[in-house]
Amino acid sequence: MSLSLTKISKCFDNIWALRDVSIEVGNGEIFGIFGATGSGKSSLVEILLGNTAPSGGSIAHDGKDITKLTRGKRNFHFPALTRKSIWQNLFANDERSTLGEGEVQMRYLENALEKVTGVLILANSFCAMDRTLRERAFSRLRTVTRERDLSVVFAASNYEEILEVCDRVAILADSEIRQIGSPQDVYEDPASASIAAIVGRNNLFAARRLTSSKAKLPEYETVDGGHRLFTKKVERSALAPINQNVTLGIRPEQISLTFGASFPEDNLLKATVSRVRFLGATTLVSFDCSGLLLDALVLRVVGLNIGDECMLGLPPDRIQIYKT
């Protein structure tokens, strides 16, 4: 592996910003760093830039330990593009430009990709770009990363960017890495309810298991609304005790709207439309199911208005179970 971080920790006034963070970024790989505000993402970037020293752990580049070289001495740091550094360089060089911020970010990315070898650190480097410019930047970044076998660390506050450009991603929460995987795997199978909430829209609600652990399909009753829902078959270890609440989750795009009859196993709920939000290519519809509030994302809604009633289908194999 070209870049390796082993048990990197950072403590500020007895408060841990990072604790035992370990990642490996291969040659030709774009590795994402993602987390909610306060997760430790910025602290990790600052350590990689050499702007702050880790409280513990080590950093290796091509097998060589470079930890001491990064400890605030500024005689070694990886080339980087951050929103802050771009504008600092712009004003330091007294560049008077009519370019928009997104165009400035694109210019600095192109300059960096022409010169960089080995490792590149990117942090919110595309946040000011419109979609067309961002897609061009991502395409250029992917091409150069593969051609030159770069190891790219890509920290972002928008998970859509992670999905678009990264090969793998590490999810930071409460100063620790909670999950590593492909962006799609993390989106489709989050390790916890908190991760499920930050990597995209999600319906998360409390429920209690009704059936034994030997049941063909586990059945739960929602705390709000008292609805009985079947979920997919999971390992016994993933089932919480019957007398304890768990969190169930289903993404809005996985809920179906129906007006016909079906089987109980299809988890049909009677719902009333409470809000309709047009989002361009999709429409987000909010429903009240006797106290259980759910959002459904659909491509098109015809003749569905606030106050209308319909049935929602929650496929059992799409419902995730989170014990924490």
Side-chain angles (χ1 to χ4, degrees):
M1 292 292 179
S2 181
L3 178 64
S4 177
L5 280 66
T6 304
K7 293 187 175 182
I8 291 294
S9 298
K10 182 63 181 180
C11 188
F12 295 99
D13 298 325
N14 296 321
I15 298 176
W16 290 100
L18 294 169
R19 191 190 295 268
D20 293 336
V21 169
S22 297
I23 62 173
E24 293 185 337
V25 185
N27 295 322
E29 181 178 32
I30 303 174
F31 190 96
I33 303 294
F34 186 79
T37 300
S39 63
K41 185 168 71 261
S42 296
S43 295
L44 184 59
V45 170
E46 289 298 298
I47 288 172
L48 287 171
L49 297 183
N51 294 337
T52 188
S55 302
S58 61
I59 303 172
H61 181 217
D62 285 340
K64 179 183 178 181
D65 189 337
I66 60 169
T67 313
K68 293 181 179 179
L69 297 177
T70 65
R71 293 192 172 178
K73 295 182 179 180
R74 303 293 297 173
N75 60 345
F76 180 96
H77 62 280
F78 297 120
L81 281 178
T82 68
R83 187 176 187 180
K84 180 180 178 180
S85 69
I86 288 172
W87 282 99
Q88 283 177 337
N89 289 336
L90 189 67
F91 289 114
N93 296 329
D94 196 29
E95 294 183 33
R96 306 300 179 182
S97 174
T98 59
L99 296 177
E101 185 175 353
E103 293 171 303
V104 171
Q105 288 180 332
M106 187 67 192
R107 174 196 288 180
Y108 274 82
L109 175 66
E110 290 283 6
N111 290 341
L113 291 177
E114 287 179 5
K115 304 172 184 177
V116 67
T117 59
V119 176
L120 176 64
I121 311 299
L122 300 170
N124 291 321
S125 306
F126 306 89
C127 57
M129 295 183 183
D130 60 37
R131 174 162 292 279
T132 300
L133 195 58
R134 188 166 63 245
E135 288 178 353
R136 196 176 93 200
F138 286 167
S139 177
R140 177 73 173 142
L141 176 61
R142 283 191 295 266
T143 297
V144 175
T145 298
R146 306 295 190 262
E147 288 178 348
R148 299 188 190 173
D149 276 340
L150 301 179
S151 297
V152 178
V153 176
F154 185 98
S157 300
N158 184 339
Y159 198 73
E160 288 185 4
E161 293 186 4
I162 298 291
L163 284 166
E164 286 189 65
V165 76
C166 294
D167 300 297
R168 290 188 299 146
V169 61
I171 306 297
L172 278 168
D174 299 324
S175 77
E176 299 180 4
I177 288 182
R178 300 297 186 181
Q179 188 171 2
I180 293 179
S182 75
Q184 181 176 344
D185 287 345
V186 171
Y187 180 86
E188 293 181 342
D189 191 18
S192 67
S194 60
I195 293 175
I198 64 174
V199 298
R201 285 192 177 95
N202 216 324
N203 295 291
L204 300 169
F205 47 92
R208 288 198 175 192
R209 181 162 55 92
L210 300 175
T211 52
S212 75
S213 58
K214 297 180 181 179
K216 183 179 179 181
L217 287 177
E219 187 178 15
Y220 289 81
E221 183 177 45
T222 65
V223 172
D224 293 331
H227 301 286
R228 297 171 72 119
L229 299 174
F230 290 98
T231 68
K232 63 183 178 182
K233 184 71 174 178
V234 296
E235 295 293 331
R236 192 169 182 175
S237 60
L239 297 171
I242 287 181
N243 62 345
Q244 291 184 12
N245 285 0
V246 299
T247 299
L248 300 184
I250 183 168
R251 299 232 177 247
E253 66 269 22
Q254 295 166 342
I255 293 179
S256 62
L257 278 65
T258 180
F259 297 90
S262 189
F263 296 100
E265 290 83 358
D266 289 335
N267 294 328
L268 283 183
L269 305 182
K270 186 176 181 180
T272 302
V273 177
S274 59
R275 188 180 181 187
V276 179
R277 282 169 278 180
F278 177 72
L279 303 178
T282 59
T283 299
L284 187 67
V285 187
S286 298
F287 294 92
D288 187 339
C289 307
S290 300
L292 178 64
L293 306 181
L294 298 172
D295 286 338
L297 191 67
V298 296
L299 290 177
R300 186 181 182 189
V301 175
V302 178
L304 198 59
N305 301 299
I306 294 175
D308 289 349
E309 293 185 350
C310 67
M311 303 296 288
L312 300 183
L314 282 64
D317 64 337
R318 297 297 186 179
I319 299 176
Q320 299 282 347
I321 304 168
Y322 305 107
K323 291 195 295 184
T324 55

